[in-house]
Amino acid sequence: MGSDARVAKSAQPFLRVRSLTKRYVRGGVLQKRIHVDAVRGIDLEIPACKTLALVGSSGSGKSTVARCVTRLERPDAGEIWVGGTDIAGLANRALLTFRAAIQMICQDAVTSMNPRFSAAETVEEPLLIQRRGAAKQCRQSALEIMSEVGVSADWANRSVMEFSGGQRQRLAIARALVLQPKLLVLDEALSGLDLSTEAEIINLLLDVQAAHSLTYLFISHDLPLMARLADTIAVMCNGTIVEQGPKSQLLSNPSHPETKSLLLPAKIFQKKYAEMLGVSG
Amino acid sequence: MKYLLRRLLRAALLLIGVSALCFLFTEMAPGSFFDEMRLNPQISPETVTALRARYGLDQPLIVRYSRWMASVVRGDFGYSIAYNSPVAPLLWTRAKNTLLLTGTATFLVWLIAVPLAAWTAASHGRWLDKAAAVVSSVLISVPEIVIAIALLALAVRTRLVPVGGMRSLGFQEFSTWGQIQDIAQRMVLPTAVLVLSSIAVVERHVRASVLEVLQMPYIQAARGLGISRTRLLFRYALPVAANPAISLFGFSLATLLSGSLLVEVVTGWPGLGPLILDATLSRDLLLVIGGVLLSALFMVAGNFIADVLLLAFDPRIRTGESHAN
């Protein structure tokens, strides 16, 4: 019974997005104003503690979805259900409690951190903003989470500019985790890292997902990589989701040309690698 | 420390260069203080020659420059022929008035411009930003002299504030508070001209750098944490946007002495402006050179202060990093 209840709880979507639409206006006072739909009619859901990868080529609108889910942007239409609340239309004050539950990690850890801050200041800042205790407590929590992600407390007072790309990404993860969120939105968080660092960060993300019962929304253009990490994959093209499903189903039988084109580089690589090794087929 | 010493050495060399060029250019300029005397039939050529010799004007340029440098070291800054007095006390009396005026104006400009710029940048594209852009465009395109004359005309017609000079008649009989009030009232007009003519430049510079910073991903990351607008602006945006503003602030300090000369002349403020103008017209060249050197000194000091502030504000300069963010 207890086991069934846990399964039922984990199967319940933590995040449910319905008919999400975001449009931008181009043009100004002396130009014709043009409405551009960055995303339209997006439907997706992620069960608690699971990973959904939103993949697509540049300009497909996946980052706009990420920004709407984290409420950095207010959607023009649609619903974003987190637990039992639709946060799509919430005002800033009401959003504050949900902001802690949904954290975002950006691609460029360098520019996503205040260059004037030290490592510890960067990680403790979310606690200070959310008023989660005295400054001393916040610092202590920041140091603990830094050591959990593999950044030594000895480096706490170093400027974030002194860290390498991989270390900065660890700091970004620590900053996101310090508020004990439920959902992490990772917008191209693995791009720009060398292979060994990428592998380290992936392992770290899998570890913290298990340790903190996190739900992940991965945003990426790298479908083969996402195939290794996600439970479900949604493919975006021109602002809409063109194909969505469990990764095994989507990879074995891609139906949309966009999905096929996203898989193509990996197939070419595999073919060339096989040719190089002299293996036929 | 090495960085600051290097800057100080460069500043000293710059001042020596400015003084040498001033001497050279004044030598090349036609006419001298004694030319009018030559036209006066009651003054003999021998008297004029004797006067020139008395003030050392018959000596070669290099000798005059060396003597002048020695007087600078003594703190005299040369000798004014027109006022028959060392230059330094003449300059200092007027420089105090100029500094009172420009210091107040600069303080007001930055006090108003920085929050206004942060506010307009945060309201990018909204009516407040657009209204501020129109007003600043007008202020930038209207010359300072036009603003001065317009406000002078307004003050004369409405009699809202006293015009001309720094003190009223019978100033010495006023109480201390009365004296302060009197000077403050007379400062209103020239201060308003200076504020209006320079506030738009500062506001635009600061707005542009704040706006650039507000587009940075780390600002978006902070927004995702639910940061308040005030904390975002003052803890995140302004410190990072401060570098160009600090350089501009250094320039504001640098122009404390030279930035108000025209306004002082138009509004009758007894600062360096009228003194330097009179000295130039009468060819009292050492007084002019003293004024120029004092302005150059402020320019160097302003830039030096900006360097020190940048050093204090930006850790990348301390650590010698060159990449920008």
Side-chain angles (χ1 to χ4, degrees):
Chain A
M1 181 67 188
S3 173
D4 287 344
R6 275 200 300 277
V7 171
K9 192 183 173 188
S10 67
Q12 196 181 16
F14 174 76
L15 174 75
R16 198 168 72 235
V17 175
R18 287 280 170 268
S19 309
L20 182 75
T21 299
K22 176 69 191 173
R23 61 179 71 89
Y24 296 105
V25 182
R26 280 190 195 152
V29 180
L30 301 173
Q31 293 170 305
K32 192 180 175 186
R33 288 163 73 86
I34 305 166
H35 292 266
V36 180
D37 284 349
V39 294
R40 57 183 184 281
I42 298 291
D43 291 321
L44 55 86
E45 54 185 52
I46 320 174
C49 309
K50 296 289 181 185
T51 301
L52 181 138
L54 192 58
V55 295
S57 46
S58 297
S60 58
K62 46 190 196 305
S63 287
T64 305
V65 173
R67 292 166 61 78
C68 287
V69 167
T70 50
R71 276 304 311 275
L72 288 173
E73 302 260 12
R74 185 191 279 263
D76 290 304
E79 300 162 2
I80 302 166
W81 291 88
V82 176
T85 311
D86 178 14
I87 64 163
L90 287 185
N92 281 340
R93 196 174 288 260
L95 260 178
L96 201 60
T97 50
F98 288 94
R99 294 225 181 261
I102 307 169
Q103 285 296 297
M104 189 167 175
I105 297 174
C106 305
Q107 173 188 350
D108 193 350
V110 182
T111 54
S112 74
M113 289 173 190
N114 192 329
R116 298 287 191 276
F117 280 6
S118 68
E121 282 174 327
T122 300
V123 179
E124 77 185 358
E125 185 69 2
L127 295 169
L128 295 171
I129 290 171
Q130 292 267 338
R131 294 183 181 147
R132 295 280 184 89
K136 209 172 178 179
Q137 279 176 292
C138 294
R139 177 57 63 102
Q140 188 54 38
S141 304
L143 294 178
E144 282 167 16
I145 207 83
M146 278 169 64
S147 86
E148 187 185 335
V149 301
V151 179
S152 168
D154 295 342
W155 295 2
N157 293 321
R158 285 193 186 185
S159 162
V160 291
M161 305 307 289
E162 294 177 44
F163 285 77
S164 69
Q167 287 169 326
R168 279 186 198 142
Q169 205 57 294
R170 284 175 189 275
L171 278 180
I173 294 169
R175 179 178 60 179
L177 289 179
V178 78
L179 285 173
Q180 297 170 315
K182 298 290 176 201
L183 171 69
L184 278 194
V185 179
L186 299 118
D187 189 2
E188 301 278 10
L190 301 171
S191 301
L193 300 174
D194 61 74
L195 277 178
S196 64
T197 311
E198 182 186 280
E200 284 174 19
I201 299 294
I202 288 172
N203 285 337
L204 175 63
L205 287 170
L206 293 174
D207 288 345
V208 295
Q209 184 175 31
H212 295 268
S213 304
L214 291 168
T215 306
Y216 282 167
L217 170 59
F218 260 105
I219 309 290
S220 178
H221 61 277
D222 191 343
L223 182 49
L225 176 65
M226 290 301 108
R228 284 156 49 199
L229 293 170
D231 301 299
T232 315
I233 295 174
V235 179
M236 279 194 78
C237 181
N238 293 330
T240 57
I241 291 179
V242 291
E243 195 168 2
Q244 185 170 189
K247 68 174 174 187
S248 54
Q249 182 192 321
L250 193 127
L251 294 171
S252 59
N253 189 22
S255 61
H256 195 272
E258 179 69 9
T259 315
K260 290 175 186 171
S261 76
L262 288 169
L263 282 169
L264 200 60
K267 284 186 176 169
I268 291 170
F269 176 76
Q270 278 172 353
K271 195 179 167 188
K272 288 202 169 178
Y273 190 64
E275 282 170 5
M276 202 173 73
L277 295 174
V279 182
S280 61
Chain B
M1 200 61 197
K2 211 177 210 180
Y3 172 79
L4 291 180
L5 283 174
R6 209 167 50 230
R7 299 289 303 177
L8 270 176
L9 183 69
R10 204 181 296 172
L13 289 174
L14 183 76
L15 285 175
I16 292 170
V18 167
S19 64
L21 281 175
C22 276
F23 253 85
L24 200 65
F25 288 141
T26 49
E27 179 71 11
M28 288 158 67
S32 76
F33 184 82
F34 296 103
D35 280 4
E36 273 188 43
M37 285 188 185
R38 285 184 205 280
L39 300 173
N40 189 341
Q42 291 179 327
I43 303 173
S44 69
E46 290 76 22
T47 308
V48 173
T49 308
L51 280 171
R52 280 179 60 83
R54 185 179 158 190
Y55 289 105
L57 296 181
D58 57 341
Q59 298 294 315
L61 182 69
I62 188 73
V63 175
R64 277 183 283 145
Y65 182 66
S66 308
R67 283 180 180 172
W68 180 78
M69 281 297 273
S71 83
V72 169
V73 172
R74 285 197 306 272
D76 287 343
F77 279 76
Y79 200 84
S80 163
I81 305 169
Y83 290 89
N84 206 21
S85 148
V87 166
L90 290 172
L91 285 177
W92 181 234
T93 312
R94 295 299 195 98
K96 279 192 290 189
N97 298 345
T98 296
L99 286 175
L100 175 66
L101 178 64
T102 53
T104 309
T106 305
F107 175 73
L108 286 175
V109 163
W110 283 86
L111 187 71
I112 300 165
V114 172
L116 184 67
W119 194 18
T120 51
S123 320
H124 178 54
R126 296 187 197 151
W127 69 268
L128 172 80
D129 185 36
K130 287 174 183 170
V134 170
V135 173
S136 63
S137 295
V138 170
L139 288 176
I140 284 173
S141 52
V142 176
E144 190 180 59
I145 183 84
V146 175
I147 297 175
I149 290 169
L151 287 188
L152 190 61
L154 190 73
V156 169
R157 279 173 186 272
T158 59
R159 299 188 180 185
L160 280 174
V161 287
V163 173
M166 189 174 164
R167 296 177 180 91
S168 302
L169 284 173
F171 179 82
Q172 300 301 337
E173 289 152 26
F174 296 169
S175 64
T176 310
W177 178 238
Q179 288 182 341
I180 293 170
Q181 274 187 314
D182 185 48
I183 292 174
Q185 281 178 349
R186 286 178 178 273
M187 274 176 69
V188 169
L189 178 67
T191 307
V193 177
L194 288 173
V195 168
L196 286 176
S197 57
S198 53
I199 195 167
V201 176
V202 176
E203 191 270 336
R204 285 217 163 177
H205 264 80
V206 179
R207 179 191 168 276
S209 22
V210 172
L211 196 59
E212 192 184 333
V213 172
L214 286 177
Q215 322 274 345
M216 300 288 282
Y218 80 86
I219 295 286
Q220 305 296 327
R223 279 188 175 140
L225 298 167
I227 193 168
S228 69
R229 181 186 263 212
T230 314
R231 190 178 174 95
L232 185 80
L233 278 175
F234 289 95
R235 185 161 159 78
Y236 278 69
L238 276 176
V240 179
N243 283 13
I246 286 172
S247 302
L248 189 66
F249 180 69
F251 187 72
S252 289
L253 295 181
T255 53
L256 276 177
L257 274 188
S258 54
S260 64
L261 300 188
L262 186 66
V263 174
E264 287 175 7
V265 171
V266 174
T267 59
W269 185 260
L272 279 176
L275 181 75
I276 301 292
L277 181 70
D278 288 345
T280 308
L281 294 175
S282 63
R283 304 281 194 279
D284 191 2
L285 296 179
L286 288 187
L287 188 51
V288 176
I289 291 169
V292 171
L293 197 74
L294 203 58
S295 294
L297 190 68
F298 266 73
M299 185 71 77
V300 167
N303 284 325
F304 184 74
I305 289 168
D307 285 343
V308 172
L309 288 175
L310 282 174
L311 206 63
F313 270 81
D314 194 341
R316 290 170 303 174
I317 295 175
R318 284 198 297 275
T319 54
E321 285 182 49
S322 58
H323 56 273
N325 263 305

